[in-house]
Amino acid sequence: MAADAVNRLGGAFLECPRTLRRARELGLTGWACYVAGRGGALGDVRPDTVAAALGLITPEAVRDGWDAARRALSPREVAAHLLAECCRWGSEHLDDAAKVDRLVELTEKAVLAADGSGLPLFAAWRAMPVPDDGPGARAAVALHLLREHRAGALLLGVRASGLSPVQALIAGPEGEAAAVAFGWQPPYPPVAPLLRRRAWADAVADRISGQAVQNFTPAERGEWITILRDTTRTVFSRRR
């Protein structure tokens, strides 16, 4: 439950129409903003370095987005703009959420406790300046950081399981749609033989990301999950 809520709340700003509109104002396509926004926390590195950190996207698609973004802004600037959009989304959607201050307290506690070893995107995003824009912005950023932590942990699980990126994507919850979105073209391998290894990769990711809340008391863990569940329900019921 916590992983699903973190994924939805921590990534909602990426799909927000206002974020996409801001990207166009900066001279970026949505894809260039996504690639350079996430990867830009690493700095002005080579496209293959970004592709390695993102992990599941084709290197060609990463290079296209990265190079297109660099013609308009530096990668760090794109990442800073994406962080600002995360804060903006959080202020708009989470400032008035029930128990938002407690959500901030517990989620930031998890972010600080999370181990960044082998998770370069998470470590780079965590090193970016912490916003001081109110509880909604802080909650959104902390949730985004945990989302990056879980994404990096999944990549470790995928590699350990022996799955290729395209195999991991088509065996995941979004199936072939995720493979297409990340630049992989058909024909795709049969899904059934991959499901067990994908489940194992998810279990590894859950174990790694779960270490961030090991210092929570049982009561804090239950409280955090309840707040996440209630916040997710409230935020996404408004968007229908």
Side-chain angles (χ1 to χ4, degrees):
M1 175 61 204
D4 180 64
V6 166
N7 186 60
R8 294 187 70 190
L9 290 169
F13 77 99
L14 294 168
E15 301 176 358
C16 176
R18 289 191 59 184
T19 299
L20 299 177
R21 185 162 61 247
R22 180 57 177 154
R24 290 193 295 270
E25 292 170 354
L26 296 169
L28 304 171
T29 64
W31 180 247
C33 183
Y34 176 81
V35 170
R38 285 187 65 200
L42 298 169
D44 194 6
V45 298
R46 294 172 57 89
D48 54 353
T49 301
V50 183
L54 293 172
L56 299 181
I57 306 174
T58 64
E60 295 79 12
V62 171
R63 186 178 303 109
D64 287 347
W66 189 256
D67 289 344
R70 288 184 66 205
R71 288 193 286 270
L73 296 169
S74 74
R76 285 195 185 276
E77 288 175 319
V78 181
H81 282 294
L82 200 64
L83 178 62
E85 287 304 302
C86 181
C87 293
R88 188 267 311 159
W89 185 91
S91 296
E92 292 178 353
H93 295 274
L94 301 178
D95 263 352
D96 61 350
K99 300 184 179 179
V100 64
D101 290 325
R102 186 61 169 157
L103 175 62
V104 170
E105 181 181 0
L106 292 172
T107 308
E108 288 184 345
K109 181 178 179 179
V111 167
L112 291 173
D115 188 350
S117 302
L119 308 173
L121 277 184
F122 165 73
W125 269 93
R126 186 169 59 177
M128 293 182 71
V130 177
D132 189 21
D133 296 338
R138 288 176 60 188
V141 171
L143 289 163
H144 174 61
L145 288 171
L146 286 189
R147 186 176 187 266
E148 286 289 2
H149 188 266
R150 177 60 166 70
L154 176 61
L155 185 57
L156 294 179
V158 165
R159 293 304 308 272
S161 72
L163 289 169
S164 69
V166 67
Q167 287 174 332
L169 289 169
I170 67 168
E174 298 178 20
E176 292 184 2
V180 171
F182 281 0
W184 302 99
Q185 299 300 315
Y188 301 119
V191 174
L194 307 174
L195 295 177
R196 181 172 295 180
R197 279 190 286 167
R198 172 61 199 238
W200 186 85
D202 281 322
V204 170
D206 288 341
R207 179 171 297 182
I208 293 172
S209 57
Q211 292 171 356
V213 297
Q214 279 187 343
N215 60 343
F216 281 23
T217 66
E220 286 176 328
R221 192 171 305 176
E223 181 186 10
W224 186 58
I225 290 173
T226 298
I227 296 173
L228 284 172
R229 180 193 62 207
D230 293 345
T231 303
T232 302
R233 184 186 301 117
T234 300
V235 167
F236 290 99
S237 64
R238 292 173 182 167
R239 298 172 62 185
R240 290 180 185 148

